[in-house]
Amino acid sequence: MNATLLFYPVYLLIAFTLTLIFIPQKDYKEYLIYGIIVGALGDVIMVGLVQNVLHIMWFKNMGIFDVLGQHALSPLSWLVTVMLFLRFLPSRKTFLYIYILTFSCASVAYGIVVRNADLYDFLAWFYPIPAYFIFVLWWSFAVWIFSKTSSLIPRGRP
């Protein structure tokens, strides 16, 4: 078996396990809903736009995980990543801004790692700066929607 095919399943298994460890069972459903909407659906929309419409990035070497030109495990990976991201939101605004900027850097790094695994590629100008700003917007949106609608955040935070 090609080792690159294991990249997403291994990431997904690790991240899913971390959600089970760090997210209380009573809160899991609500984090899951945000993971589905902001993470999985967000990934399908962004990949559809950036890959299929703008042709800036593309998946490759997907093997059995190729579904309509998208990697089937990418939305699931975003689902659990968003769950973890939201679970650890800092309550202080200064730390929240740093958290979003840092998570955006980590997202760019993850994209480069996936590229190095030969599962994904992009036009040279897209990484790191334009991609970084997209991730800043995406993570900021996740915080905004979560803070406006979640019962898990005491009003006034973040």
Side-chain angles (χ1 to χ4, degrees), residues 1-6 64:
M1 177 183 239
N2 186 346
T4 60
L5 281 179
L6 294 177
I64 63 171

Side-chain angles (χ1 to χ4, degrees), residues 16-137:
F16 174 67
T17 302
L18 291 173
T19 68
L20 295 176
I21 292 169
F22 291 113
I23 298 175
Q25 186 177 4
K26 67 180 180 53
D27 299 335
Y28 202 88
K29 180 181 176 183
E30 188 162 343
Y31 282 107
L32 180 64
I33 290 167
Y34 286 96
I36 291 168
I37 294 169
V38 177
L41 182 61
D43 179 63
V44 169
I45 291 169
M46 286 304 297
V47 169
L49 176 66
V50 178
Q51 174 180 273
N52 301 342
V53 175
L54 300 175
H55 307 289
I56 295 171
M57 56 75 62
W58 52 93
F59 286 105
K60 55 190 210 175
N61 300 322
M62 296 177 281
I64 63 171
F65 300 114
D66 184 346
V67 176
L68 302 173
Q70 294 193 22
H71 199 293
L73 298 182
S74 180
L76 294 174
S77 296
W78 274 102
L79 185 154
V80 293
T81 302
V82 166
M83 290 174 69
L84 291 168
F85 171 81
L86 294 174
R87 174 68 180 123
F88 294 107
L89 283 180
S91 58
R92 293 178 57 191
K93 283 213 183 233
T94 302
F95 291 135
L96 180 61
Y97 296 135
I98 295 168
Y99 184 70
I100 291 169
L101 297 175
T102 304
F103 227 90
S104 299
C105 285
S107 299
V108 169
Y110 181 81
I112 292 170
V113 169
V114 175
R115 181 185 193 197
N116 292 343
D118 206 30
L119 292 170
Y120 168 80
D121 209 351
F122 45 81
L123 297 178
W125 61 265
F126 188 59
Y127 269 75
I129 304 300
Y132 177 75
F133 287 113
I134 289 172
F135 286 123
V136 167
L137 291 173

